[in-house]
Amino acid sequence: MTDIAKAAGCSQATVSFVLNRTAGMKLSQATRDRVIETARVLGYVAPTFPTKPNSAPRAPAMDGIIGFAVDQLATSPEAVVAIEGARQASWNAGNVILVAQTLGDPEMEPRTLRVLTTQGASALIYMAIFTREIVAPSYLYELDIPVVLLNCYTTDHHFPAVIPSEIAGGQHSTRHLIEHGHRRIATITGEPWMQAAQDRLKGYRRALATADIPFDPQLVVEGDWSASAGYKATVQLLSLEHRPTAIFCQNDRTAIGCYEALKEAGLSIPEDISVVGYDDEEIARHMHPPLTSSILPHRAMGQWAVEQLDSANDANKRFAITKLECPLVERASVAKPRG
């Protein structure tokens, strides 16, 4: 997926969603075609699996085992943080977490969930690594154990679901810059089809509107969550006749590239331009200067998911989506604008 993403000019997540035919993703046909053609040119072929996996009798349910299924485990730290939150909440009650990666594969995912239940899982946490609405597969509805959705939700509200409050997070990040006196604030987004990018941009625009700052489309540059995109976007912003005094990078990896471009241009952070990130990855506190960033609350979301399992038993109940705050961690990358 990394090879295909690099050649196709998109993120690894996009490649995963296209090749796994993930339902409910609002990707353009042009993007899908580009990814598939790139995979073909590079010689990659999709694996095949039996269309009817072997069924196995379910073992007697054992109290204290919680299944945790996530579509992508190795590509980002968020899943590990959520699992750790669930583990802490589970161990406090004497429970054990069994974790499985599914890649959202339509054949292997149901087999994986079946294994979790036959191993005695008496409840399931189902996580998507990228925040989004999902079309829940039928086998989730057919499980006779409590199911909680983490970082995703369904329109029918059949399952308890928790996601980050991304609009509020984007608004808080932008407002922080406004409170320091900035009025020409740029933002570098993620891929626009992703809900996190859409919501963080909504929060950015709401903060500007609330402060009576006119929206300038020149100050919004599309990225793909990568450091290289952050670098290119920052170079573009610096070429404007009236460059920004602050940049809201919609994740910390983008901010890494932003820092590099600013320093290459001979500009100081935050004396010349302030920078805010998002996600609060480990690297944020080690950047120079340390990066102000918002925490993605995946640990708290994992804890919340475990706490909701008892209330997830009612099949006739409809559950409101729970949104957890993304707290801003203030460090040394923001200051008042010069002059």
Side-chain angles (χ1 to χ4, degrees):
M1 288 192 293
T2 302
D3 293 341
I4 297 169
K6 183 176 180 181
C10 62
S11 69
Q12 184 174 324
T14 298
V15 174
S16 175
F17 291 138
V18 171
L19 297 186
N20 288 311
R21 300 190 181 104
T22 305
M25 304 310 300
K26 298 176 182 178
L27 287 166
S28 70
Q29 190 59 47
T31 297
R32 294 179 187 274
D33 291 344
R34 187 171 75 252
V35 169
I36 293 170
E37 176 61 16
T38 301
R40 186 191 66 78
V41 170
L42 292 177
Y44 290 103
V45 293
T48 57
F49 301 104
T51 56
K52 293 183 178 180
N54 294 330
S55 61
R58 180 178 172 183
M62 297 169 57
D63 292 335
I65 298 180
I66 299 171
F68 194 115
V70 57
D71 53 2
Q72 296 184 44
L73 179 59
T75 57
S76 65
E78 286 83 5
V80 175
V81 174
I83 292 166
E84 175 60 14
R87 182 203 63 77
Q88 290 176 340
S90 299
W91 282 19
N92 289 340
N95 297 317
V96 173
I97 295 282
L98 294 182
V99 180
Q101 177 175 259
T102 71
L103 297 178
D105 185 273
E107 297 294 340
M108 293 304 291
E109 183 172 90
R111 292 179 64 181
T112 301
L113 298 185
R114 186 174 291 110
V115 168
L116 287 176
T117 56
T118 56
Q119 291 299 313
S122 55
L124 175 70
I125 298 171
Y126 183 90
M127 178 180 180
I129 195 63
F130 290 99
T131 309
R132 66 184 191 272
E133 174 190 321
I134 64 168
V135 178
S138 59
Y139 46 81
L140 279 188
Y141 293 91
E142 295 165 1
L143 292 175
D144 58 355
I145 59 175
V147 176
V148 173
L149 305 183
L150 198 160
N151 210 39
C152 57
Y153 59 93
T154 57
T155 55
D156 63 6
H157 302 281
H158 186 81
F159 309 100
V162 60
I163 61 175
S165 185
E166 300 277 25
I167 296 177
Q171 187 169 1
H172 193 187
S173 298
T174 308
R175 186 170 64 239
H176 180 67
L177 293 167
I178 294 170
E179 290 171 348
H180 278 77
H182 294 277
R183 292 186 64 81
R184 190 155 178 79
I185 302 169
T187 187
I188 304 172
T189 73
E191 292 175 292
W193 60 268
M194 288 191 178
Q195 183 171 333
Q198 295 168 7
D199 287 351
R200 292 173 195 180
L201 182 59
K202 286 179 184 176
Y204 163 83
R205 296 193 64 162
R206 284 188 184 181
L208 295 181
T210 301
D212 292 326
I213 299 174
F215 173 73
D216 184 349
Q218 284 190 312
L219 294 178
V220 178
V221 182
E222 181 183 318
D224 61 10
W225 310 112
S226 69
S228 59
Y231 176 88
K232 292 176 183 177
T234 302
V235 170
Q236 179 179 331
L237 290 168
L238 293 180
S239 70
L240 295 175
E241 182 179 358
H242 300 292
R243 73 186 188 199
T245 63
I247 301 175
F248 166 31
C249 297
Q250 292 195 11
N251 76 338
D252 293 345
R253 297 178 192 181
T254 297
I256 292 172
C258 176
Y259 266 45
E260 183 179 351
L262 292 176
K263 292 177 180 180
E264 190 175 277
L267 298 172
S268 298
I269 308 166
E271 292 79 10
D272 295 314
I273 293 185
S274 292
V275 180
V276 169
Y278 206 103
D279 293 353
D280 195 40
E281 292 193 36
E282 175 68 21
I283 188 64
R285 66 204 69 181
H286 301 295
M287 295 168 68
H288 182 73
L291 178 67
T292 294
S293 186
S294 293
I295 297 173
L296 276 176
H298 283 82
R299 185 185 303 273
M301 289 161 62
Q303 295 170 341
W304 181 95
V306 170
E307 293 165 358
Q308 302 306 307
L309 290 172
D310 286 341
S311 64
N313 282 313
D314 189 349
N316 296 316
K317 186 177 179 180
R318 293 298 174 262
F319 299 90
I321 300 170
T322 296
K323 297 184 179 182
L324 298 189
E325 182 183 357
C326 302
L328 187 71
V329 180
E330 298 182 27
R331 297 192 179 96
S333 63
V334 176
K336 294 182 179 178
R338 289 189 184 274

